[in-house]
Amino acid sequence: MKPSILVARAIFPEVIERLRQHFDVEDNPNDDAFSPAQLRERLKDKDGLFATMSERVDPQLLAACPRLKAVANMAVGYNNIDVDAATGAGVMVTNTPDVLNETTADFGWALLMAAARRITESEHWLRAGQWQKWRYDSFVGADLHGSTLGVIGMGRIGQAIARRSTGFGMQVIYHNRSRLAPELEAGANNARYVGREELLRQADHVVLVMPYSPALHHTIGEAEIALMKPTAILVNIARGGIVDDAALIRALRERRIAGAGLDVYENEPAFNPDFLSLSNVVLTPHIASASIATRLAMANCAADNLIAALTQQEPPNLLNPAVRAGA
Ligand code: GLV
Ligand code: GLV
């Protein structure tokens, strides 16, 4: 008998077809939103879960699904999954690193440019028929070329962002849990390591790219924003919860920083509605990895992981190898 899996959200039909070659697949082509209780009910007799960021895998779900052996998350971040609890329950967990690095780095720059040059704000004005009111200082923004970019989180995506800075003639300073090797700093990444406070003070613009962990909750709050230049743009493509959104809203409203570009929020998709009343923030709905090619690569990567996990092979992106070792 084939192992059985649940694909929790709608995904590419060709990936469903691949999965059907290996598994009995219960999919969700209409993309119905499952409550936690509905997810438990659908998963309780399954061997595997193809998950997205919208499913929470917590001790309650794991307890209700004794057959479950593997959860493949179609995302590089996995703060929707309690990995320790999964390890305790003998459930393998995988993510989709690397395939999205360049696409996500592109998007970090898109948000930075859009916020610095006030692209969405001016488009709203144009669409509202206001162009007759043009004047010399309409939508004047900040230059990126020649400025200093601060990158917090110099993993693979952070490095891909830093590499793109050379064409703009920018300096890059970065902060990370650990320093890069000297040849990586000086080479293509064009980056200099500084302390976090120094970064916030010196950078003309700041991009956040670190993975979420509880220790980093609200790591950018009132005090950190106060260190930034009043002309600075803050870009968050990391995770909601890294920034104290209420503190950011106050700072944007009082123009203590010039603007922000945000792809992630606390409590998304139910984010703080006060953002909507601000003109100096560019808001996108967690789409940094959403190029056609990269989303397909992520779905296939998650499928590869699930197929390996449930056919006695080593999943390429196993996050809790202790489970495999004990299997
Ligand atoms: C997106 O945020 C991801 O973690 O892949
Ligand atoms: C950033 O991505 C890090 O590894 O800290």
Side-chain angles (χ1 to χ4, degrees):
M1 217 174 73
K2 288 181 182 172
S4 60
I5 66 162
L6 175 69
V7 180
R9 299 287 306 267
I11 60 161
F12 300 93
E14 61 262 51
V15 177
I16 294 285
E17 282 318 304
R18 265 192 77 201
L19 291 167
R20 284 198 201 286
Q21 291 166 19
H22 303 268
F23 307 126
D24 279 331
V25 177
E26 178 177 336
D27 62 346
N28 182 7
N30 296 329
D31 215 20
D32 297 323
F34 300 146
S35 68
Q38 287 168 327
L39 184 63
R40 285 197 295 277
E41 180 59 28
R42 286 168 192 272
L43 196 61
K44 70 176 193 302
D45 56 354
K46 303 286 194 297
D47 301 297
L49 173 65
F50 187 112
T52 70
M53 293 178 303
S54 51
E55 289 76 51
R56 292 208 70 77
V57 177
D58 55 17
Q60 211 187 350
L61 180 72
L62 291 162
C65 305
R67 283 184 53 168
L68 193 65
K69 294 180 197 64
V71 174
N73 208 35
M74 188 183 133
V76 64
Y78 44 90
N79 56 316
N80 56 316
I81 298 173
D82 185 334
V83 178
D84 288 341
T87 305
V91 174
M92 287 177 266
V93 180
T94 64
N95 68 341
T96 61
D98 294 327
V99 290
L100 46 58
N101 293 345
E102 301 298 326
T103 296
T104 304
D106 286 349
F107 196 80
W109 279 96
L111 274 182
L112 178 57
M113 289 193 239
R117 298 301 305 276
R118 304 173 62 177
I119 288 178
T120 56
E121 182 189 358
S122 65
E123 184 183 347
H124 289 143
W125 185 84
L126 176 154
R127 286 180 187 266
Q130 308 263 38
W131 200 339
Q132 303 308 329
K133 297 184 190 158
W134 183 92
R135 38 176 281 152
Y136 72 98
D137 60 353
S138 292
F139 302 107
V140 292
D143 278 323
L144 292 184
H145 68 268
S147 70
T148 296
L149 179 66
V151 179
I152 304 186
M154 201 58 153
R156 288 162 291 206
I157 299 171
Q159 291 178 46
I161 288 174
R163 280 199 303 276
R164 284 159 171 70
S165 66
T166 50
F168 287 87
M170 293 167 78
Q171 307 290 319
V172 178
I173 52 180
Y174 78 95
H175 185 75
N176 196 43
R177 284 167 303 185
S178 50
R179 273 187 80 153
L180 297 182
E183 63 275 14
L184 276 178
E185 281 188 2
N189 290 310
N190 171 42
R192 186 165 60 85
Y193 180 85
V194 293
R196 202 177 56 135
E197 293 198 355
E198 193 183 342
L199 182 144
L200 292 165
R201 280 203 189 88
Q202 285 188 7
D204 292 311
H205 306 296
V206 176
V207 180
L208 305 175
V209 214
M210 63 282 227
Y212 180 85
S213 70
L216 291 182
H217 191 73
H218 285 186
T219 194
I220 302 294
E222 197 81 47
E224 291 73 24
I225 294 169
L227 297 174
M228 292 174 64
K229 296 183 181 181
T231 46
I233 303 290
L234 176 69
V235 170
N236 187 6
I237 54 167
R239 267 294 180 277
I242 297 230
V243 174
D244 177 346
D245 283 351
L248 177 59
I249 286 165
R250 287 192 296 276
L252 289 168
R253 186 176 288 142
E254 295 162 15
R255 308 271 160 173
R256 283 185 271 121
I257 61 172
L262 306 176
D263 191 46
V264 290
Y265 310 84
E266 290 184 77
N267 306 317
E268 59 183 69
F271 67 103
N272 190 322
D274 290 348
F275 278 123
L276 298 175
S277 66
L278 298 171
S279 59
N280 54 345
V281 59
V282 176
L283 305 166
T284 54
H286 206 148
I287 57 166
S289 66
S291 76
I292 300 164
T294 291
R295 277 289 159 84
L296 183 59
M298 290 167 72
N300 274 313
C301 177
D304 291 342
N305 279 306
L306 200 52
I307 291 164
L310 296 179
T311 58
Q312 308 299 320
Q313 300 158 57
E314 183 75 19
N317 310 112
L318 184 58
L319 293 166
N320 52 354
V323 174
R324 198 67 186 152

